[in-house]
Amino acid sequence: MSGNDGLLGALRELRQHLDRDLFPLAIGNVETDRRALRELTGQLDDYLIPRLSVIDAPLLAVVGGSTGAGKSTLVNSLVDENVSEPGVLRPTTLAPTLVTNLADREWFAAQHVLPGLPRVTGSARGEPGTLRVVTSSILPPGLALLDAPDIDSVVTANRELAAQLLAAADLWLFTTTAARYADEVPWGFLRLARERSTALAVILSRVPPEALGVVKKDLARLLEVNGLGGTELFEVPELVLPEENARLPRSAVQPVVDWLTAIAADAQSRADVVRQTLSGALGSLAVRVPALADAVDRQHAGAKELRSMADASYAVGLSSFDEGMLDGSLLRGEVLARWQDFIGTGDLMRSLESRVGRLRDRVVALFTGRPAPESELRVALESGVEALIRSSADSAAERLLDSWSSHPSGRALLADAGVATVGRLGRASAELRVKAEAAVRAWQGYVLELVREEGAEKRTTARVTSFGVNGAGLLLMLAVFASTGGLTGIEVGIAGGTSVLSQKLLEAVFGDQAVRTLTVKARVDLRARVAALLGEEATRFTVLLDAVEPPDGAAAALRATARAVRDHLRELPVGERQSALLEGGHQDALPEGGRQAALPEGRQTSLPEGGRQGTLPEGRQAALPEEVRRGTVPEGHQVAPPEEGRRGTVPEGGELPPARPILPADDPQAVRERGRTPDAVRRMTGGEADEA
């Protein structure tokens, strides 16, 4: 593993970044994003990290396919033992069964591959959500078979598990039937195998005797059209079995057995299959991870939109408070009654005459139990401001709740919060009353401090001392809520029906310009305190976002780890075609003849009958199908090509044989040269055969 440390570390870092809910908001096609996240996380856990940790571990071949394709029957027939439970009821495979040689049992029984599935061993029947591990003496060491649930099962959990198991496979044994080989669901998986360069073989089962060869030819055509030309394709005829759980005759599955045995018997072949699938899966990360990062960016954009809604709603609430503060409405009702009482009884004038007058009022209030009119006016004003704050907060909360409820992501977020929480969010918080009282009292203290500071100047000290700080401060508070089109004069008297004398009192004490300045300062301070209160109210909504929104750097971290994985891909010893695949991230268009396993330079893939071949060292023989095998090529001669017209290499300095035209495979002359019979010529050309 030493040569893969950097790549393995990058994958583990990527896994850490995925270990959170990156898509909590219903934004765009979020279900697709969530599924992609689950699939990538599962493949990292189930395959990429375990396989890269022990690259020489036994090969895992997953038998997957559609409902009724005979996957369990095939597995039982391949190992010549009833290890899985086929049946007529659907779904049949409730818990996947992994069959391995006794020599490899320890590797698969331990949770290296598919660590999220608890193991069940022995004769016990696996339950849904578990992985049953059984051994077979027929299956060769170095290769395990896994019977997966149906990819098109009516049970969602089965479909998801089937996709998970296929993503954890080194090799797909994809099973379909003569009746359903053109269905879209299987082809969705086959195209995925193409995109990720997964090692693949297709088994066409349940082929009626009259359709043998015909359906296989059409399936081969479809594979070619879909970029999977050259894929190993086996045909299993439809047979009448003596009983429901009977196995297929050995002759029916012998080609598959021989092919798997040849791979399992050769370490280099197993390594080639592993490296093909591993490099393809790693190469796909160059596309899949940035796509997840883009989806995370969409989550942040959606969260920003919801936050903007909150800001806008409570900004309107603050504007509502501003309007109530300036339209004089606070100087009506209880405040007006207390103001008239305050002015009409002459208490204001007496309180401004001397401190003795104020002391006398307080003594009278002490004995009569009635608060001084000045205190009543201050309390009434305080209550009016608090009510205005709560009203503004209520309207903002109701407005924001409506906005979020009309937005898909906001609606989903509120649904997750629960009915009780949403009910509380529709109005101001219960704590706002206490907070508003404290804020208004603090503001009143600030206003009195303004009066003291202004009265500290020599020109006003005597007048403020004569009038009293509290009286002057109260007039300044009232001035803040007077309806003005500017601040030329105090219109408290007009708003409250007072005399001209009382509305000019502040100007008499401080002067016209000073009154303007003090009023603006008092109003700005109160507005800032109310804005802070409304901001706290808004956090009741935004805290729901804070709890689920991905961290700010999540998308950038995903892109960085994707680059790190790409930079370390060269640590894998791969062949020339895999190298090109990794450079491009993924391979959409495949060359004619399909994909092949990655080979070390100069090495041949030891594939069984019908296999593809790589380059050959001088004097080595290509592993070609039986009907076209040749001996070694003498120096300077041309390799006798198989039907596909492939050629070997000519050593440097050797001479090419005389040139001759290369005839199409179905040309009658070419057929005769290959020793075909006239009947064979007739079948291939569709006409009469020439005389031999």
Side-chain angles (χ1 to χ4, degrees), residues 97-317:
T97 298
L98 188 149
V99 190
T100 180
N101 187 277
L102 185 61
D104 300 326
R105 180 183 179 279
E106 183 177 351
W107 169 258
F108 290 108
Q111 292 178 301
H112 299 297
V113 181
L114 298 164
L117 295 179
R119 273 29 175 194
V120 176
T121 58
S123 59
R125 179 177 179 178
E127 297 297 329
T130 64
L131 177 63
R132 182 168 172 257
V133 179
V134 299
T135 58
S136 169
S137 58
I138 299 295
L139 200 64
L143 175 69
L145 296 178
L146 200 163
D147 181 16
D150 303 328
I151 59 173
D152 55 356
S153 173
V154 295
V155 180
T156 302
N158 279 1
R159 296 196 305 271
E160 294 177 348
L161 180 57
Q164 177 187 359
L165 298 180
L166 287 170
D170 296 301
L171 172 65
W172 286 14
L173 296 180
F174 202 82
T175 308
T176 187
T177 66
R180 303 192 61 184
Y181 69 93
D183 289 358
E184 173 56 28
V185 174
W187 282 102
F189 279 86
L190 290 173
R191 284 190 288 268
L192 182 63
R194 177 201 65 194
E195 293 168 3
R196 299 183 186 175
S197 190
T198 304
L200 170 70
V202 176
I203 301 173
L204 180 63
S205 66
R206 298 187 174 180
V207 182
E210 65 274 13
L212 285 172
V214 178
V215 177
K216 180 179 179 181
K217 182 178 179 180
D218 190 53
L219 178 54
R221 177 188 63 81
L222 291 176
L223 289 169
E224 185 74 32
V225 169
N226 284 273
L228 289 164
T231 297
E232 298 295 340
L233 179 56
F234 299 96
E235 192 175 36
V236 178
E238 184 174 30
L239 300 170
V240 178
L241 301 178
E243 56 185 8
E244 180 183 322
N245 296 335
R247 300 190 292 272
L248 296 169
R250 196 65 177 173
S251 59
V253 296
Q254 192 63 47
V256 183
V257 172
D258 292 344
W259 186 74
L260 291 174
T261 301
I263 292 178
D266 183 64
Q268 186 59 48
S269 294
R270 295 197 308 273
D272 291 339
V273 170
V274 167
R275 283 174 174 81
Q276 175 182 333
T277 302
L278 183 59
S279 60
L282 289 170
S284 73
L285 299 184
V287 175
R288 298 162 71 190
V289 177
L292 287 179
D294 293 342
V296 172
D297 285 336
R298 290 193 293 271
Q299 289 284 312
H300 284 301
K304 183 178 181 180
E305 184 178 359
L306 293 178
R307 293 183 191 279
S308 296
M309 291 180 181
D311 293 340
S313 294
Y314 280 90
V316 172

